[in-house]
Amino acid sequence: MPNIALELGKQAASFGVKSAYGEPQDVDGVSITPVALTLSGFAGGNAEGGEGGTGGGIAVPLGVYVRREEGLRFEPNIVTLLVVAAPFVWIAGRALSRVIRALKK
């Protein structure tokens, strides 16, 4: 029986760039390459002769690289941008209100 941890390690070596950048697609003469933030993790073990392993991952679409005649341009995914920006704006607003409150004293 193969060692599961070694097999997962061999497969994980090929994730990297291949999982973050998708295959370029041609749509109406425009080349589009999807970009994502990817995270993955694996674990394996051997408990008294029994072997086991698990793995998981997540991919968040960041946007696409669009190649036209004018050149290459990155177009962000608006939904992801809003999801990331909302907590940032909330935290920045709270910090600013505390700074203003401290300066008034």
Side-chain angles (χ1 to χ4, degrees):
M1 181 173 224
N3 189 340
I4 294 174
L6 292 176
E7 292 297 320
L8 288 174
K10 289 177 186 174
Q11 291 177 1
S14 68
F15 287 157
V17 172
K18 289 182 182 179
S19 64
Y21 296 96
E23 293 293 323
Q25 304 292 320
D26 288 325
V27 179
D28 295 331
V30 177
S31 176
I32 298 173
T33 304
V35 180
L37 172 66
T38 60
L39 301 170
S40 59
F42 298 96
N46 185 355
E48 301 298 326
E51 293 185 6
T54 186
I58 185 171
V60 178
L62 297 179
V64 295
Y65 279 110
V66 179
R67 182 180 300 276
R68 293 191 175 113
E69 293 175 2
E70 302 88 43
L72 182 67
R73 190 174 91 195
F74 180 76
E75 294 184 5
N77 180 344
I78 300 301
V79 174
T80 303
L81 185 62
L82 291 174
V83 168
V84 170
F88 176 76
V89 169
W90 182 79
I91 290 170
R94 277 203 41 111
L96 185 60
S97 69
R98 288 183 181 201
V99 168
I100 291 171
R101 190 176 310 136
L103 290 175
K104 285 184 178 180
K105 291 183 180 181

